[in-house]
Amino acid sequence: MASKIVLFFRFLIIVALMQFQTVIIIAQPQVPCYFIFGDSLVDNGNNNRLQTEAKANYSPYGIDFPLGVTGQLLGFTDFIPPFATATNQEIITGVNYASGAAGIRDETGRELGDRISLDRQLLNHATIVSRVSVLQRNITFTNEYLKKCIYKVNMGSNDYINNYLMPEEYIAGRIYTPDQFAELLIRKYSLQLRRLYNLGARKIAVFGLGFLGCTPAEIARFGTNGEPCVEYINNATMLFNVRLKPLIDDLNNDLPQGRFTFINVTSISTPKDGIVLPNVPCCQLRSDGQCVPNSIPCPNRNLFIWYDGYHPTEVGNTVLANRSYTALSPTDASPYDISRLAQLTV
């Protein structure tokens, strides 16, 4: 089974190269602002000033990132600033609240140091909403403005990697079955997504979990018993994913203006042919799965999917970005991809 759920090297590289050449830079943003909630997969600086091991503000991270453009598919030409440094001028077009090691549960990631859990990220967003309202001097206008924005939420990986799968550090892995833990996460996530709605968000893209059992760090830590990936980790996280789509459906049914959509990361990263990708990191790893500071990474990063023990290279991220924006399969996004989400009216 595991061989059917591993990212496949040749297919991904070919698609990524094709996608690189077909990305269209749009002159005007399709939405007025873009708000990002999540963990290290999308943290762009919020952890830099925190006392934590979960940060990537050192070499060899950023080796291929000479102040290039992000948010191209939605038409943004400037970076979405991290909450930690966002100015009043910048927050009008969005804020990134993401924090490495953060999770749905507040205790998640504590062994690495400080982090900004999803609950705290939502509190930070509430302060930004207040700041925007003061700047615009019209609460009615601000409410209508925020309804048009895109909100990305990418959470849950650390609740497994840096919580449930570490029973020596956290009680959850000792007292809950995988099914019970997935249910607990979904219940809390539901409350958090409803809170985001109550803060004015309407068009919300919620990303599912990827194949955490196929990450180089988890493979090195747990072994695979002859399989390509750690199957019991993928089976555990799938229990979360299969609950997430019905949660999105419930939110859309319960909240009158809700335009939630589920981005199926496992669908996007499921193989399309029979070539298994070696789960090899591009950089030399520390014990926590991050790159050794100032180490020399692999010379041809276009031929690797994993940059360190947990995080994909630009190739992997590009495939995910393109297929979440424009779904290639009905299972990639439900009920709509992000390009369609951006067009919806509330």
Side-chain angles (χ1 to χ4, degrees), residues 302-316:
N302 286 334
L303 299 180
F304 283 73
I305 298 302
W306 300 105
Y307 193 72
D308 62 12
Y310 293 111
H311 305 97
T313 59
E314 186 174 354
V315 168

Side-chain angles (χ1 to χ4, degrees), residues 201-244:
R202 294 297 182 267
K203 299 196 283 189
I204 304 168
V206 182
F207 283 63
L209 302 184
F211 293 120
L212 301 184
C214 298
T215 59
E218 295 301 277
I219 289 174
R221 182 180 172 202
F222 292 99
T224 65
N225 196 29
E227 299 292 337
C229 299
V230 188
E231 285 211 45
Y232 77 84
I233 293 180
N234 286 338
N235 291 338
T237 56
M238 190 58 63
L239 294 171
F240 175 85
N241 282 336
V242 298
R243 287 169 165 82
L244 187 53

Side-chain angles (χ1 to χ4, degrees), residues 110-156:
R110 69 183 175 212
E111 85 281 1
L112 294 173
D114 197 10
R115 68 269 168 231
I116 308 166
S117 68
L118 184 52
D119 281 339
R120 289 175 60 194
Q121 290 181 34
L122 290 167
L123 289 174
N124 290 341
H125 182 58
T127 68
I128 290 295
V129 170
S130 296
R131 285 169 63 182
V132 171
S133 179
V134 169
L135 291 170
Q136 294 180 333
R137 300 181 181 180
N138 186 322
I139 187 63
T140 301
F141 178 84
T142 297
N143 290 340
E144 292 302 313
Y145 182 83
L146 294 174
K147 289 179 182 179
K148 300 173 183 177
C149 305
I150 292 284
Y151 299 78
K152 173 181 178 177
V153 188
N154 191 347
M155 272 290 189

